[in-house]
Amino acid sequence: MDNVILFPKTEKFYEDELTKLLRAERYQEALEMLTFLLQFPGVDRDKSDQWEALRHWLLTMFPETMFPSSESLAEDAEEESALLRQYIQDKTAADDGAFVNKLKTMLQEGTLEAQVNALDQLAYIEQPEVSQFVKAWLCERPRHPHIQFKALQALKQMGEQGMIEFPKNGKIVLVEIEETPLTAEDFPSRIRDMIRRVGDISEISQPDFVYFASQTWQEFLAYAYGTSIYTELLRTEESAVDVWASALHAILQEKLFGTGEREQLLETYGIVDGMALQWKRAHNVLSAFVKQFTPNPT
């Protein structure tokens, strides 16, 4: 990391994301991001001191949050979901439809962040007219692929099943609602292996690189879900794990650090000449996604 650079716009993007994580009390994710940012040697000294102080504060004030057991994580997630469901159902029953109407307005007129928030809450409202509203909203016109995927997840949580057709990435896609993954671990194992491979390769030289890679990969899966790209990922052979993992690694390395030793990276992943066309295809697909949906760091 001695020769890498954190570009100003990239730094601003990370700081905005860090602020969102802290406001949402997602301290574990905030710590991971701070650890990643503190790897960059060229950052202003005052800024790096602030990040280090914040990292120390998180470790001191929330040790159980920082290092929870996998069992407690599962229990906490389940408890949080149950509490949120009860809260929303109580709100829905208490105000004769005003709360639901507010969420509908957020979904129709709000920012992307507000729409995500609305879907997170609508997912717990078990009313046929609400799920029909979300379906109509999803099918109405093209929308950001992240929010489209979020709507599919909400519909699945509502108990909806069957096929749904909607415009996405310039085409009409058809998906089965109940097959929608709700978490990263719900995706097929081969797709999960692709991002795990990035972690295996980067854990020694860039141990926190996989944080950004994982975030990008999840956004890419939302972008690809239901399209021919996702079908291609589902049907790939085991060798394609290294192809997609190395293509993602190469693109993010160049985007974050401004340069990348591609030949050495391909050798590390075991990409041989016979895989060149497949690698170029994966690189082109991921590159188009990154250019369209992630901020330009330069």
Side-chain angles (χ1 to χ4, degrees):
M1 296 284 288
D2 291 342
N3 298 318
V4 299
I5 299 171
L6 187 63
F7 292 101
K9 288 187 178 180
T10 306
E11 181 180 318
K12 176 65 165 56
F13 167 75
Y14 276 123
E15 289 209 304
D16 289 345
E17 291 299 305
L18 181 61
T19 299
K20 292 177 185 177
L21 292 174
L22 292 172
R23 286 176 177 171
E25 298 183 1
R26 293 160 61 183
Y27 299 130
Q28 173 67 29
E29 294 173 66
L31 178 68
E32 291 172 355
M33 181 174 286
L34 286 167
T35 303
F36 175 70
L37 291 172
L38 285 166
Q39 292 182 104
F40 295 90
V43 176
D44 178 78
R45 179 65 180 270
D46 290 339
K47 180 66 64 178
S48 63
D49 286 346
Q50 290 174 18
W51 290 342
E52 184 58 54
L54 179 56
R55 181 176 180 276
H56 178 74
W57 180 79
L58 288 171
L59 289 169
T60 302
M61 299 300 294
F62 306 101
E64 294 182 2
T65 303
M66 295 300 100
F67 307 106
S69 67
S70 58
E71 182 177 347
S72 65
L73 280 174
E75 291 174 354
D76 289 347
E78 186 175 341
E79 181 180 354
E80 182 179 337
S81 178
L83 289 173
L84 181 58
R85 179 182 293 275
Q86 187 61 53
Y87 167 77
I88 291 172
Q89 290 179 348
D90 289 346
K91 287 278 290 183
T92 302
D95 61 9
D96 196 29
F99 178 66
V100 172
N101 288 335
K102 179 181 178 181
L103 294 178
K104 288 180 177 180
T105 301
M106 285 173 60
L107 186 59
Q108 288 179 311
E109 304 174 5
T111 62
L112 182 64
E113 188 174 355
Q115 290 174 336
V116 169
N117 189 21
L119 287 169
D120 280 339
Q121 297 178 72
L122 287 169
Y124 291 102
I125 299 176
E126 299 172 357
Q127 297 177 4
E129 61 269 24
V130 173
S131 59
Q132 290 304 313
F133 173 83
V134 174
K135 283 183 179 180
W137 175 88
L138 174 61
C139 300
E140 179 184 23
R141 61 180 175 84
R143 302 182 187 277
H144 192 290
H146 175 81
I147 199 69
Q148 290 179 318
F149 187 68
K150 194 71 179 178
L152 290 173
Q153 291 178 317
L155 288 169
K156 180 177 180 176
Q157 287 180 270
M158 291 174 185
E160 288 295 313
Q161 297 184 348
M163 307 300 291
I164 187 168
E165 189 177 73
F166 57 94
K168 180 174 184 176
N169 300 347
K171 297 183 179 181
I172 300 296
V173 301
L174 183 67
V175 303
E176 198 167 356
I177 295 172
E178 61 266 34
E179 294 299 316
T180 306
L182 294 180
T183 70
E185 290 302 309
D186 290 337
F187 284 94
S189 59
R190 187 148 295 168
I191 290 177
R192 300 198 309 270
D193 287 343
M194 292 170 182
I195 193 60
R196 287 173 181 166
R197 184 71 169 129
V198 176
D200 291 342
I201 294 295
S202 62
E203 65 179 352
I204 296 177
S205 59
Q206 298 169 301
D208 297 293
F209 177 80
V210 73
Y211 170 79
F212 184 67
S214 296
Q215 297 291 103
T216 304
W217 185 244
Q218 289 305 310
E219 289 295 328
F220 171 70
L221 292 177
Y223 161 81
Y225 191 75
T227 71
S228 59
I229 298 171
Y230 190 76
T231 301
E232 179 182 338
L233 289 173
L234 291 177
R235 295 176 178 174
T236 53
E237 298 178 354
E238 187 174 352
S239 61
V241 169
D242 284 327
V243 169
W244 284 90
S246 59
L248 177 66
H249 196 146
I251 288 170
L252 294 184
Q253 188 166 269
E254 292 166 5
K255 183 176 180 63
L256 285 173
F257 310 141
T259 185
E261 298 177 357
R262 183 176 295 183
E263 290 186 8
Q264 181 179 340
L265 188 67
L266 295 183
E267 183 179 345
T268 302
Y269 275 93
I271 306 301
V272 298
D273 290 344
M275 304 160 75
L277 288 178
Q278 189 181 13
W279 190 89
K280 185 176 181 181
R281 156 73 176 160
H283 186 274
N284 287 342
V285 169
L286 287 165
S287 182
F289 160 73
V290 168
K291 286 178 181 177
Q292 185 176 358
F293 291 106
T294 65
N296 187 348
T298 59

